Amino acid sequence: MIAKKRRALICGVSGQDGAYLAQLLLNKGYEVWGTSRDAQMSSFASLYKLKIAAQVKTLSMSLTDFRSVLHVISKVEPDEIYNLAGQSSVGLSFDQPVETFESITLGTINLLESIRFVNPKIRFYNAGSSECFGDTGVNFADENSAFRPTSPYAIAKAAATWQVSLYRKAYGLYAATGILFNHESPLRPERFVTKKIVATVCRIANGSDEKLELGNVDIRRDWGWAPEYVDAMWRMLGINEPEDFIIATGETQSLRDFLKIAFETLDLDWQQHTFIDQNLMRPSDPFEIKGLANKASQYLSWKPEIKGAELVQKLVKSQMENTEAWLTR
């Protein structure tokens, strides 16, 4: 008798994490379904870049519409649901606080309620965020650290994390939150500062005379490699009991260091090509956020391999290859 393939539903499959997760699950033999707000209009560019678009079944779903969520889950009948959707930019959340809060908190509660009604045995992963901790200062955040969010995005993510915890305890759902620290890849859109830096550096190396405009370059973040982080998501749904986990490298570097390494990778001096614009400073921005993934190491056998200067160099080299390929078309 042929074993039935496990079926996964990825909400937000068109994003960086959604695309890498889809690739991972396909490689593990899953049947993969993905959603976006309008599947007919979405380009699913990340899926095409990874050459897996034909293997992922896509549907339209509005996370803020309970009927839409209920309909999709009833149709797909997934074994696992990964919630990676919702407004994902900290900076944009100050301009769109209502959209940010609704897409994250209402979206999460609609998924949890639908699971409770359709099939309480579905395993649910929720994308949390290190931004919930605010400024960790000299300390490392772990699963017992208090949330002190300092942006509309972080407040929404904190609320969603608490929703998941409540449904796990009150209704016995297999629901877990991965509190992921910053993680990057070539699939990041340019509205994220890391991709903005990398893309601009490569254009300058190819002859552009533009200046890279940035806000606070002294902030420090714990940056990891996105394909490794989606592996942790999958592992979270594979253990016997659901728990929340921090996923981080345990190391931080300043945005200034990130910037310096990116330019030096292509033999450029960042100070000659960068302009600090006070208008790009956020109303509130944690100085340093760093985490310990000891629990993930112990229970999930997970640990990061790519970090620090290696991560930045890998991003620049990948972007440069893509830029040169485009220029020679």
Short mmCIF file of all heavy atoms in Angstrom, two decimals, residues 27-57:
data_model
loop_
_atom_site.label_atom_id
_atom_site.label_comp_id
_atom_site.label_asym_id
_atom_site.label_seq_id
_atom_site.Cartn_x
_atom_site.Cartn_y
_atom_site.Cartn_z
N ASN A 27 10.78 18.75 -1.54
CA ASN A 27 11.93 17.84 -1.50
C ASN A 27 11.72 16.72 -0.49
O ASN A 27 12.34 15.66 -0.61
CB ASN A 27 13.20 18.62 -1.16
CG ASN A 27 13.67 19.50 -2.30
OD1 ASN A 27 13.31 19.28 -3.46
ND2 ASN A 27 14.47 20.51 -1.99
N LYS A 28 10.85 16.95 0.47
CA LYS A 28 10.56 15.93 1.47
C LYS A 28 9.34 15.09 1.10
O LYS A 28 8.86 14.28 1.91
CB LYS A 28 10.39 16.58 2.85
CG LYS A 28 11.69 17.16 3.39
CD LYS A 28 11.54 17.69 4.80
CE LYS A 28 12.88 18.23 5.31
NZ LYS A 28 13.91 17.18 5.44
N GLY A 29 8.81 15.30 -0.09
CA GLY A 29 7.72 14.48 -0.58
C GLY A 29 6.33 14.95 -0.25
O GLY A 29 5.36 14.21 -0.43
N TYR A 30 6.18 16.18 0.21
CA TYR A 30 4.86 16.73 0.53
C TYR A 30 4.09 17.12 -0.73
O TYR A 30 4.69 17.44 -1.77
CB TYR A 30 5.00 17.99 1.37
CG TYR A 30 5.23 17.80 2.85
CD1 TYR A 30 6.41 17.23 3.33
CD2 TYR A 30 4.28 18.21 3.79
CE1 TYR A 30 6.63 17.08 4.69
CE2 TYR A 30 4.49 18.07 5.15
CZ TYR A 30 5.67 17.50 5.60
OH TYR A 30 5.90 17.36 6.94
N GLU A 31 2.79 17.13 -0.62
CA GLU A 31 1.93 17.83 -1.58
C GLU A 31 1.76 19.23 -1.03
O GLU A 31 1.32 19.41 0.11
CB GLU A 31 0.57 17.14 -1.68
CG GLU A 31 -0.41 17.82 -2.63
CD GLU A 31 -1.76 17.14 -2.65
OE1 GLU A 31 -1.81 15.90 -2.54
OE2 GLU A 31 -2.78 17.86 -2.77
N VAL A 32 2.14 20.25 -1.80
CA VAL A 32 2.19 21.61 -1.29
C VAL A 32 1.15 22.50 -1.95
O VAL A 32 1.07 22.59 -3.18
CB VAL A 32 3.60 22.22 -1.48
CG1 VAL A 32 3.62 23.66 -0.98
CG2 VAL A 32 4.65 21.39 -0.75
N TRP A 33 0.36 23.14 -1.10
CA TRP A 33 -0.60 24.16 -1.54
C TRP A 33 -0.15 25.50 -0.96
O TRP A 33 0.41 25.56 0.13
CB TRP A 33 -2.00 23.84 -1.03
CG TRP A 33 -2.64 22.62 -1.63
CD1 TRP A 33 -2.28 21.32 -1.44
CD2 TRP A 33 -3.75 22.60 -2.53
NE1 TRP A 33 -3.09 20.49 -2.16
CE2 TRP A 33 -4.02 21.24 -2.84
CE3 TRP A 33 -4.56 23.59 -3.09
CZ2 TRP A 33 -5.04 20.85 -3.69
CZ3 TRP A 33 -5.59 23.21 -3.94
CH2 TRP A 33 -5.82 21.86 -4.24
N GLY A 34 -0.41 26.57 -1.71
CA GLY A 34 -0.03 27.89 -1.23
C GLY A 34 -1.11 28.90 -1.51
O GLY A 34 -1.88 28.76 -2.47
N THR A 35 -1.18 29.92 -0.68
CA THR A 35 -2.20 30.95 -0.88
C THR A 35 -1.57 32.34 -1.00
O THR A 35 -0.49 32.61 -0.48
CB THR A 35 -3.21 31.00 0.29
OG1 THR A 35 -2.56 31.54 1.46
CG2 THR A 35 -3.76 29.61 0.61
N SER A 36 -2.30 33.20 -1.71
CA SER A 36 -2.02 34.63 -1.70
C SER A 36 -3.39 35.31 -1.78
O SER A 36 -4.41 34.65 -2.01
CB SER A 36 -1.15 35.05 -2.87
OG SER A 36 -1.86 34.99 -4.08
N ARG A 37 -3.42 36.62 -1.56
CA ARG A 37 -4.72 37.30 -1.56
C ARG A 37 -5.44 37.18 -2.90
O ARG A 37 -6.65 37.10 -2.96
CB ARG A 37 -4.54 38.77 -1.17
CG ARG A 37 -4.50 38.98 0.33
CD ARG A 37 -4.21 40.39 0.71
NE ARG A 37 -2.81 40.74 0.48
CZ ARG A 37 -2.24 41.88 0.85
NH1 ARG A 37 -2.94 42.78 1.48
NH2 ARG A 37 -0.98 42.12 0.60
N ASP A 38 -4.68 37.18 -3.98
CA ASP A 38 -5.27 37.01 -5.31
C ASP A 38 -4.32 36.14 -6.14
O ASP A 38 -3.38 36.64 -6.76
CB ASP A 38 -5.49 38.36 -5.99
CG ASP A 38 -6.29 38.27 -7.28
OD1 ASP A 38 -6.34 37.15 -7.87
OD2 ASP A 38 -6.86 39.28 -7.71
N ALA A 39 -4.57 34.85 -6.14
CA ALA A 39 -3.67 33.91 -6.81
C ALA A 39 -3.65 34.11 -8.32
O ALA A 39 -2.65 33.80 -8.98
CB ALA A 39 -4.08 32.48 -6.47
N GLN A 40 -4.73 34.64 -8.88
CA GLN A 40 -4.76 34.84 -10.33
C GLN A 40 -3.90 36.02 -10.76
O GLN A 40 -3.36 36.04 -11.87
CB GLN A 40 -6.21 35.05 -10.79
CG GLN A 40 -7.06 33.79 -10.68
CD GLN A 40 -8.46 34.00 -11.25
OE1 GLN A 40 -9.04 35.08 -11.11
NE2 GLN A 40 -9.00 32.98 -11.88
N MET A 41 -3.76 37.01 -9.87
CA MET A 41 -2.98 38.20 -10.20
C MET A 41 -1.53 38.12 -9.69
O MET A 41 -0.66 38.82 -10.19
CB MET A 41 -3.65 39.45 -9.62
CG MET A 41 -5.00 39.76 -10.24
SD MET A 41 -4.87 40.11 -12.02
CE MET A 41 -3.96 41.65 -12.00
N SER A 42 -1.28 37.29 -8.69
CA SER A 42 0.06 37.19 -8.13
C SER A 42 1.03 36.57 -9.12
O SER A 42 0.71 35.62 -9.82
CB SER A 42 0.02 36.35 -6.85
OG SER A 42 1.32 36.22 -6.31
N SER A 43 2.24 37.11 -9.17
CA SER A 43 3.24 36.59 -10.11
C SER A 43 3.94 35.34 -9.57
O SER A 43 4.50 34.57 -10.35
CB SER A 43 4.30 37.66 -10.38
OG SER A 43 5.07 37.91 -9.21
N PHE A 44 3.91 35.15 -8.25
CA PHE A 44 4.63 34.04 -7.61
C PHE A 44 6.07 33.98 -8.10
O PHE A 44 6.61 32.91 -8.39
CB PHE A 44 3.90 32.71 -7.85
CG PHE A 44 2.54 32.65 -7.22
CD1 PHE A 44 1.39 32.70 -8.00
CD2 PHE A 44 2.41 32.54 -5.84
CE1 PHE A 44 0.13 32.65 -7.41
CE2 PHE A 44 1.15 32.49 -5.25
CZ PHE A 44 0.01 32.54 -6.03
N ALA A 45 6.67 35.17 -8.21
CA ALA A 45 8.02 35.28 -8.77
C ALA A 45 9.04 34.43 -8.02
O ALA A 45 9.93 33.82 -8.63
CB ALA A 45 8.46 36.75 -8.78
N SER A 46 8.91 34.38 -6.70
CA SER A 46 9.88 33.61 -5.90
C SER A 46 9.80 32.13 -6.22
O SER A 46 10.82 31.42 -6.25
CB SER A 46 9.65 33.84 -4.41
OG SER A 46 9.94 35.18 -4.06
N LEU A 47 8.60 31.63 -6.46
CA LEU A 47 8.43 30.22 -6.81
C LEU A 47 9.07 29.93 -8.17
O LEU A 47 9.67 28.87 -8.37
CB LEU A 47 6.95 29.83 -6.82
CG LEU A 47 6.18 29.98 -5.51
CD1 LEU A 47 4.75 29.52 -5.68
CD2 LEU A 47 6.86 29.20 -4.39
N TYR A 48 8.95 30.88 -9.08
CA TYR A 48 9.56 30.70 -10.40
C TYR A 48 11.09 30.77 -10.30
O TYR A 48 11.80 30.03 -11.00
CB TYR A 48 9.04 31.75 -11.38
CG TYR A 48 7.68 31.39 -11.93
CD1 TYR A 48 6.52 31.94 -11.40
CD2 TYR A 48 7.54 30.47 -12.98
CE1 TYR A 48 5.27 31.61 -11.89
CE2 TYR A 48 6.29 30.13 -13.48
CZ TYR A 48 5.16 30.70 -12.93
OH TYR A 48 3.92 30.35 -13.42
N LYS A 49 11.59 31.65 -9.44
CA LYS A 49 13.05 31.74 -9.28
C LYS A 49 13.63 30.44 -8.74
O LYS A 49 14.74 30.05 -9.10
CB LYS A 49 13.39 32.90 -8.33
CG LYS A 49 13.22 34.27 -8.96
CD LYS A 49 13.53 35.37 -7.96
CE LYS A 49 13.31 36.75 -8.59
NZ LYS A 49 13.55 37.85 -7.61
N LEU A 50 12.86 29.76 -7.90
CA LEU A 50 13.31 28.48 -7.35
C LEU A 50 12.93 27.30 -8.24
O LEU A 50 13.22 26.15 -7.91
CB LEU A 50 12.73 28.28 -5.94
CG LEU A 50 13.17 29.28 -4.87
CD1 LEU A 50 12.53 28.93 -3.53
CD2 LEU A 50 14.68 29.33 -4.74
N LYS A 51 12.23 27.61 -9.35
CA LYS A 51 11.82 26.60 -10.33
C LYS A 51 10.90 25.53 -9.75
O LYS A 51 11.01 24.34 -10.06
CB LYS A 51 13.06 25.94 -10.97
CG LYS A 51 13.96 26.95 -11.69
CD LYS A 51 15.19 26.29 -12.28
CE LYS A 51 16.07 27.33 -12.97
NZ LYS A 51 17.30 26.73 -13.55
N ILE A 52 9.96 25.98 -8.91
CA ILE A 52 9.01 25.04 -8.30
C ILE A 52 7.57 25.47 -8.51
O ILE A 52 6.65 24.85 -7.97
CB ILE A 52 9.28 24.89 -6.78
CG1 ILE A 52 9.17 26.25 -6.08
CG2 ILE A 52 10.64 24.25 -6.52
CD1 ILE A 52 9.20 26.15 -4.57
N ALA A 53 7.35 26.53 -9.29
CA ALA A 53 5.99 27.07 -9.45
C ALA A 53 5.00 26.02 -9.95
O ALA A 53 3.85 25.96 -9.50
CB ALA A 53 6.01 28.27 -10.39
N ALA A 54 5.44 25.18 -10.86
CA ALA A 54 4.53 24.18 -11.43
C ALA A 54 4.14 23.09 -10.43
O ALA A 54 3.15 22.39 -10.63
CB ALA A 54 5.19 23.54 -12.66
N GLN A 55 4.92 22.96 -9.36
CA GLN A 55 4.67 21.90 -8.39
C GLN A 55 3.81 22.36 -7.21
O GLN A 55 3.37 21.53 -6.41
CB GLN A 55 6.01 21.38 -7.84
CG GLN A 55 6.90 20.76 -8.89
CD GLN A 55 8.29 20.50 -8.35
OE1 GLN A 55 9.21 21.30 -8.56
NE2 GLN A 55 8.46 19.41 -7.65
N VAL A 56 3.59 23.67 -7.09
CA VAL A 56 2.80 24.21 -5.97
C VAL A 56 1.41 24.57 -6.46
O VAL A 56 1.25 25.32 -7.42
CB VAL A 56 3.49 25.45 -5.37
CG1 VAL A 56 2.64 26.03 -4.24
CG2 VAL A 56 4.88 25.09 -4.86
N LYS A 57 0.39 24.04 -5.79
CA LYS A 57 -1.00 24.36 -6.13
C LYS A 57 -1.40 25.62 -5.37
O LYS A 57 -1.25 25.69 -4.15
CB LYS A 57 -1.91 23.19 -5.75
CG LYS A 57 -1.53 21.89 -6.45
CD LYS A 57 -2.36 20.72 -5.95
CE LYS A 57 -1.93 19.42 -6.62
NZ LYS A 57 -2.70 18.26 -6.14
#
